[in-house]
Amino acid sequence: MHLTTEEQAWLAGEAGSAIRRAMEIVAALGNIYGATHLLPVQRVQISGVSYRNIGAAGLDFLTNWVAEGARVHASTTLNPTAMDMRDWAEQGFSPDFAKKQQQVVDTFARMGVGSGYPIPTCTPYLMGNHPEFGEHIAWAESSAVVYANSVLGARTNREGGPGAIAAAIVGRTAAYGLHLPENRIGTLKVTVNAIPRTLSDYSALGAWVGKAAHRAVPYFVGLPLSRGSALWEEKLKTLGAAMAATGAVALYHVAGVTPEALTPVTGARSILAATHTEITIDDLAPGYALLNDPVEDIDLVWIGCPHASLLEVSLVAQAVAGLRLRVPLWVTCARPVKDAAIACGLAAVIEAAGGRIFADACIAIAPVRDLGFERVATPSAKGAYYLRNLAGIAARFASLEQCVEAAIKGKLEIKN
Ligand code: F3S
């Protein structure tokens, strides 16, 4: 792999051990994946932030790198933590866990992440980290990666945790995978005959297509969606997140909607490979059924995976206004969204019903059992997938209305 004179010097340790270590990681990834050179990146998004996931070993790894002088040289944002960094006690976290989680965030802040004031979220694109069309970036969170590639037309692979930190330190990523135009062509044509209406319907569609696609690049036709229509970005957000969870989808196209598929598929400029596979989706029920455990009683409803936009918070407020919930209903979002929800009265409506909004946090990477929850309902396929597979608890995946009804009854009746 070709390295510039400056990159070679970094690799030789001439800029210090922290940069040398970062260059070793970036160069190793480039060599593994057959990259010919490195690309400059000005935006990075880091995952691996939950103390529950990284533990003492991960915190030591970060602390040592910072002690060596590691500082980011790109606009860098942080994935969610396990808890609301202010209201963690209300969620049931212990002071000891909260202290450790705070140390993780402080360590990233000392690296310069978020200019020293990180906003933990899996929706950095809603928080000003908004790459341009065609811009090379290095993002780690799978739902953000698929959104950046597909909806914004930026170019990123699914970076791993240390790889993203290394990319932020040297401002470089290796030129392979989805950075290359030839790998951005649709390879799976998905004809949608079913009519997804709600956000959870898009999530169910994504769950099923992700399972079929695995690493393919889906090209959707027939989706009842247009740029600028109601909730179109939220629908694409949840569609992509689900495909990234049940498959390894990091890029998809929607005919006439996403930026690389705005023009019809024709000849040499085609965004759909001449030899592609095809599937047809006639029914959304299999997508819902895929992520439903056989339990009826639930002890938590979780909304906000990926982190909710203010519009999504307003949908929750509408759904619970005037109700009394029997089990907790938690909405997760970025801190500025929570602040806005408080300022415009949405938080008060949700709280009056017995729900709560928690910033910074992702429930799937929290020690959910220790918080007292074993059966969680959610309108997010990705949320259900990770609750099962990361948190190891029972999950129900249903519409927002069904989840709210379940929060009232403490029960989500199995209909599929
Ligand atoms: Fe975000 Fe956690 Fe879901 S990181 S996409 S809220 S699993």
Side-chain angles (χ1 to χ4, degrees), residues 145-184:
V145 164
V146 70
Y147 191 92
N149 275 318
S150 313
V151 185
L152 305 179
R155 297 181 176 194
T156 179
N157 292 312
R158 279 169 69 148
E159 298 281 349
I165 299 170
I169 291 171
V170 295
R172 299 284 192 281
T173 194
Y176 70 94
L178 294 177
H179 291 288
L180 308 179
E182 61 268 31
N183 295 326
R184 300 182 64 86

Side-chain angles (χ1 to χ4, degrees), residues 196-212:
R197 299 179 198 281
T198 63
L199 291 175
S200 63
D201 284 351
Y202 277 85
S203 208
L205 173 64
W208 194 249
V209 174
K211 190 172 174 309

Side-chain angles (χ1 to χ4, degrees), residues 56-146:
L59 180 55
D60 282 349
F61 172 80
L62 293 173
T63 306
N64 292 338
W65 213 349
V66 170
E68 282 180 56
R71 299 292 180 272
V72 300
H73 294 94
S75 173
T76 306
T77 49
L78 211 55
N79 228 22
T81 58
M83 61 182 208
D84 188 307
M85 298 304 292
R86 292 183 198 158
D87 294 331
W88 50 266
E90 286 179 48
Q91 288 183 282
F93 285 92
S94 69
D96 184 51
F97 184 95
K99 186 176 162 196
K100 295 288 197 309
Q101 183 63 81
Q102 186 67 57
Q103 284 173 355
V104 174
V105 174
D106 290 347
T107 306
F108 281 117
R110 291 213 305 281
M111 272 190 200
V113 173
S115 302
Y117 300 95
I119 298 172
T121 183
C122 47
T123 54
Y125 45 88
L126 298 179
M127 297 296 120
N129 192 349
H130 202 279
E132 301 293 322
F133 179 83
E135 181 179 341
H136 295 282
I137 61 176
W139 283 14
E141 158 56 33
S142 65
S143 68
V145 164
V146 70

Side-chain angles (χ1 to χ4, degrees), residues 45 79-81 121-123 141-144 241 302 304-308 332 361-365 380 382-383 386-387 390:
Q45 197 259 356
N79 228 22
T81 58
T121 183
C122 47
T123 54
E141 158 56 33
S142 65
S143 68
W302 172 34
C305 170
H307 272 177
T332 49
C362 165
I363 305 308
I365 53 172
S380 163
K382 177 174 178 182
Y386 278 98
L387 285 167
L390 269 186

Side-chain angles (χ1 to χ4, degrees), residues 214-255:
H214 190 46
R215 290 185 181 281
V217 177
Y219 176 88
F220 286 90
V221 293
L223 270 186
L225 194 66
S226 59
R227 293 179 77 82
S229 59
L231 292 167
W232 74 283
E233 287 162 310
E234 282 83 357
K235 287 171 180 171
L236 294 178
K237 171 165 80 93
T238 195
L239 173 70
M243 289 190 287
T246 59
V249 173
L251 166 67
Y252 67 91
H253 304 292
V254 179

